[in-house]
Amino acid sequence: MGEIRPEQYQLVFFFEGTDVSRQMLVEEFESVLDGFVPLVDYSGRKCQCAFLLVNPDFSVDAAVFFHLIFDLSGRPDLHWNTPIKQLACQADTTHSLSEHIRIASYSNCSIAWHQQKLWEPFAEQVDAMVQSVQQNQLGLGELDRHQTFTSEIPALQINDSAQPVVLTNLADYVGGDAFDESMLEKQRKKYEQQLNLRSLELGKLRDQHNELLMQLKSLEGRFEKRVYEQVQSHLSKRDEHWQDKMRKAKQYILQQAQIIKEKDAEICELQASRPTGSSTGHSSQAAEQPENNRAMLTLMRAQEIQLQVSHPGVGNIHIPYDDVIEYLAAPMVYVAQLCGVRPEDYAAWIQHRKNPCCQGFAEDGRACRVKITLISDLNKFEPGYSDFCHQHRMSDLSSESLA
């Protein structure tokens, strides 16, 4: 297990794809975590970050690749608690991406319950990280190399031709005797007041932002409630509709069952009241049937009751008393004789009128049933032709010509 040495630099990198998009010292990163420095360009995003331990020679000693979530205001998640420094100390060099850098990632995490907070880098991202450290864009080590404990300020080169100007103390810079320390104090207070005003304005904006967020959440809640109520109302109406249908269906079934029960009782009564007898009784009943029919016709004449029926092709027709029995015995034959056609032709036209489709058959024996033009006039209907489709008409004509 390693440790963080005093001479090492602690950095935090942000990645955009395979490139390093932002670099900062760990102190600046801690300010970001505390919410003092919001990163607006990362608002509402889940970023891929890396914590680095860098040696004085700008070689990377350890790296921890972790996730960081920002809210809509650019501030990180308040519940973020990934121990990146501890993970960096416990990392080893067993990772497949590098033999010299101790890496802690999703596939190489020393603390199991923190594995979900890490991510797995690509080789291109590790190379970009190492290259960015070598470029030293943060200026690591420059302050130590240029720091001086004297009051002298290095010469400022105005241009190539001018002589260098050396300012030996702050009085020379501000004008010698005209320098007044109270002016600096006033200036400092002025800047401090401006900073306080900016802080107040920032606080007000933050409060407004939080208030807007609360309003947004309230609207979302009200919208969800309204949608839920509408859905529940629709479901309730639908349930009531189907329950009413089920209730009516049950009532209908009970009514039909009652009717069937009553009919069964009537049948049983009739069977019980009918006298038993042999075939002689049946023949006597058959013999009595014509007498009953004649009696019924006599009654119809006496009451001047006329029998009028309606059939397709002939419309309403009056049946004479003498033809009533013949009509009742075979209505289709009786009407066909009135129309002057054969009974089978009249029956074919009636079938065609109900369902105008081809009566032919295919080669595999299946009925054709193709919809054809309706022939509403009985006199224009030709059985075997009018009730066939064009294809079966042609095939029928071909077979007749061959014959």
Side-chain angles (χ1 to χ4, degrees), residues 278-299:
S278 60
S279 59
T280 305
H282 289 289
S283 61
S284 63
Q285 291 178 1
E288 293 176 356
Q289 188 66 31
E291 295 296 333
N292 294 334
N293 293 336
R294 282 192 290 272
M296 180 185 66
L297 291 175
T298 302
L299 180 61

Side-chain angles (χ1 to χ4, degrees), residues 13-23 42 48 119 124-129 131-132:
F13 282 8
F14 286 72
F15 288 89
E16 289 286 349
T18 58
D19 300 326
V20 177
S21 60
R22 185 185 293 270
Q23 308 177 30
Y42 293 122
Q48 293 180 336
W119 58 282
E124 294 82 0
Q125 291 171 312
V126 175
D127 294 340
M129 176 187 69
Q131 185 177 1
S132 297

Side-chain angles (χ1 to χ4, degrees), residues 22-149:
R22 185 185 293 270
Q23 308 177 30
M24 63 180 67
L25 297 174
V26 72
E27 292 81 7
E28 183 181 355
F29 179 69
E30 290 173 352
S31 299
V32 173
L33 293 178
D34 293 336
F36 295 117
V37 184
L39 301 181
V40 182
D41 49 340
Y42 293 122
S43 299
R45 297 177 55 186
K46 182 178 182 181
C47 299
Q48 293 180 336
C49 306
F51 171 70
L52 282 67
L53 293 180
V54 179
N55 296 319
D57 60 351
F58 300 147
S59 61
V60 180
D61 178 34
V64 180
F65 295 91
F66 63 94
H67 283 297
L68 185 60
I69 301 176
F70 290 87
D71 60 15
L72 296 178
S73 62
R75 290 177 173 80
D77 183 11
L78 297 178
H79 302 287
W80 184 87
N81 60 349
T82 307
I84 53 178
K85 294 185 179 181
Q86 181 181 354
L87 292 173
C89 294
Q90 295 179 357
D92 52 35
T93 57
T94 59
H95 203 282
S96 59
L97 291 180
S98 177
E99 298 179 356
H100 307 289
I101 303 175
R102 296 182 295 112
I103 294 179
S105 63
Y106 179 82
S107 64
N108 189 30
C109 182
S110 58
I111 306 177
W113 54 89
H114 288 298
Q115 182 182 17
Q116 298 297 330
K117 302 175 183 179
L118 306 183
W119 58 282
E120 193 66 25
F122 295 105
E124 294 82 0
Q125 291 171 312
V126 175
D127 294 340
M129 176 187 69
V130 173
Q131 185 177 1
S132 297
V133 172
Q134 294 293 332
Q135 293 175 355
N136 191 22
Q137 297 178 0
L138 292 175
L140 303 178
E142 294 181 2
L143 181 61
D144 295 334
R145 291 194 296 270
H146 293 88
Q147 187 175 6
T148 177
F149 296 96

Side-chain angles (χ1 to χ4, degrees), residues 251-319:
Q251 292 177 355
Y252 176 77
I253 293 173
L254 291 175
Q255 292 174 358
Q256 295 299 317
Q258 183 65 25
I259 293 174
I260 293 173
K261 185 177 180 180
E262 294 174 357
K263 293 296 182 183
D264 289 341
E266 292 178 2
I267 292 173
C268 291
E269 291 177 359
L270 291 174
Q271 290 177 349
S273 62
R274 187 171 58 184
T276 58
S278 60
S279 59
T280 305
H282 289 289
S283 61
S284 63
Q285 291 178 1
E288 293 176 356
Q289 188 66 31
E291 295 296 333
N292 294 334
N293 293 336
R294 282 192 290 272
M296 180 185 66
L297 291 175
T298 302
L299 180 61
M300 291 176 62
R301 281 194 179 98
Q303 299 292 332
E304 295 183 354
I305 298 175
Q306 297 181 356
L307 180 62
Q308 185 174 348
V309 295
S310 178
H311 285 273
V314 293
N316 297 328
I317 57 175
H318 171 70
I319 306 297

Side-chain angles (χ1 to χ4, degrees), residues 114-215:
H114 288 298
Q115 182 182 17
Q116 298 297 330
K117 302 175 183 179
L118 306 183
W119 58 282
E120 193 66 25
F122 295 105
E124 294 82 0
Q125 291 171 312
V126 175
D127 294 340
M129 176 187 69
V130 173
Q131 185 177 1
S132 297
V133 172
Q134 294 293 332
Q135 293 175 355
N136 191 22
Q137 297 178 0
L138 292 175
L140 303 178
E142 294 181 2
L143 181 61
D144 295 334
R145 291 194 296 270
H146 293 88
Q147 187 175 6
T148 177
F149 296 96
T150 65
S151 59
E152 292 184 355
I153 299 178
L156 299 177
Q157 298 292 338
I158 304 302
N159 52 47
D160 295 338
S161 60
Q163 294 295 328
V165 179
V166 179
L167 302 179
T168 57
N169 52 52
L170 189 59
D172 293 337
Y173 178 73
V174 299
D177 296 338
F179 174 71
D180 188 359
E181 294 182 358
S182 62
M183 294 175 58
L184 291 178
E185 183 65 19
K186 292 179 180 180
Q187 194 73 13
R188 185 189 66 79
K189 290 182 178 180
K190 180 180 178 181
Y191 289 150
E192 185 176 354
Q193 291 176 356
Q194 292 178 353
L195 180 60
N196 292 334
L197 290 175
R198 294 294 183 270
S199 299
L200 291 175
E201 292 176 358
L202 180 61
K204 291 180 180 179
L205 291 175
R206 188 177 301 169
D207 294 340
Q208 293 177 1
H209 173 74
N210 294 332
E211 183 179 356
L212 290 175
L213 287 179
M214 293 298 295
Q215 292 178 1

